[in-house]
Amino acid sequence: HWGDLAYLEQQRDYMKQVVDHAARVLDEGIETTGMGCFVDWSTKETPDELDGVKAVFCMGLTRAARIFDVLGEEDYALKCRKYVGQLQAEKVERQLSKRMSALTILAGRDSSLAIPVVSDDSAKEMSCFMGYYVLLAKAALGQYEGALKVIKEYWGAMLDLGATTFWEDFDIDWTQNAARIDEIVPENKVDVHTSYGKHCYIKLRH
């Protein structure tokens, strides 16, 4: 990225180790329990996690191949592209969540079921972190107006609730009958901060 070839040379052996490890994981099968199959907290323990992990492998190995091209490591560049080819050739058998569909598109994997999901311009199934990849995927599909609509609806909803920074965890459904976070919560309103949150973002941590 910075054109610092000397720095890149320092990472040569480490990069090879990372790719060798990735190849072993893909050859032996991705561990689907615990943290062996993890993309983001918003997708943890969902049926789509494995396809998301495969997309991340695909994206990472694609970039690693480019780095090995620069380093003149033809064998490792070919190794990366071999596994990318295998991952991209796989059929994605079922419809995934919007977040995992976005990764599928960005990874160049089978996107026949993913494109209609990402093309939905609502803020449903968005998350504060993975939402970025949904926006990237929408841009890759040329859906700029839809991406702006999602930004306004999803991140705009946090601002409407009085946020002064974007949250770590937010579901658009939380806006229903919700009080602003910068005001005393009336009895007939929902306190967003103490009512919601999942995984490590329960209640006051989102």
Side-chain angles (χ1 to χ4, degrees):
H1 182 73
W2 293 104
D4 188 346
L5 187 58
Y7 173 79
L8 204 59
E9 288 284 358
Q10 294 171 10
Q11 314 309 315
R12 182 191 296 262
D13 291 341
Y14 174 69
M15 286 281 301
K16 289 181 177 180
Q17 291 171 28
V18 170
V19 168
D20 287 340
H21 175 71
R24 280 195 301 274
V25 169
L26 291 170
D27 286 340
E28 295 170 6
I30 297 169
E31 175 60 55
T32 57
T33 59
M35 297 298 282
C37 190
F38 178 82
V39 176
D40 180 55
W41 284 107
S42 69
T43 57
K44 188 175 187 303
E45 297 171 356
T46 64
D48 300 349
E49 197 84 14
L50 180 59
D51 280 297
V53 168
K54 287 181 178 181
V56 171
F57 267 98
C58 198
M59 294 162 74
L61 289 169
T62 297
R63 284 151 181 78
R66 291 170 57 194
I67 291 173
F68 284 125
D69 285 339
V70 173
L71 291 172
E73 292 281 356
E74 185 178 344
D75 289 347
Y76 268 86
L78 287 172
K79 184 174 186 175
C80 292
R81 291 190 172 103
K82 180 188 86 168
Y83 285 98
V84 169
Q86 291 175 2
L87 290 165
Q88 289 180 335
E90 281 185 4
K91 180 78 174 166
V92 178
E93 298 290 348
R94 58 192 182 79
Q95 196 171 71
L96 306 174
S97 69
K98 188 181 290 185
R99 296 169 294 234
M100 294 312 192
S101 292
L103 291 184
T104 298
I105 291 167
L106 294 171
R109 299 191 77 220
D110 172 30
S111 301
S112 55
L113 296 175
I115 291 173
V117 175
V118 170
S119 297
D120 171 30
D121 292 339
S122 77
K124 293 284 188 182
E125 292 189 8
M126 292 292 285
S127 75
C128 300
F129 176 67
M130 293 297 293
Y132 170 69
Y133 298 95
V134 174
L135 296 177
L136 282 183
K138 290 184 78 63
L141 296 171
Q143 299 176 4
Y144 305 110
E145 290 298 323
L148 287 170
K149 183 177 182 296
V150 171
I151 290 169
K152 291 174 181 177
E153 184 179 348
Y154 185 71
W155 284 273
M158 296 181 222
L159 297 176
D160 289 342
L161 287 174
T164 55
T165 185
F166 295 130
W167 301 343
E168 191 82 26
D169 184 26
F170 181 67
D171 189 315
I172 195 67
D173 288 341
W174 297 358
T175 59
Q176 296 175 18
N177 198 37
R180 288 178 60 90
I181 65 170
D182 54 356
E183 297 175 357
I184 300 297
V185 180
E187 287 187 15
N188 64 337
K189 290 282 190 178
V190 176
D191 183 342
V192 172
H193 274 321
T194 59
S195 301
Y196 302 115
K198 293 181 293 187
H199 304 299
C200 60
Y201 304 123
I202 294 172
K203 297 195 173 183
L204 296 173
R205 296 199 59 210
H206 49 257

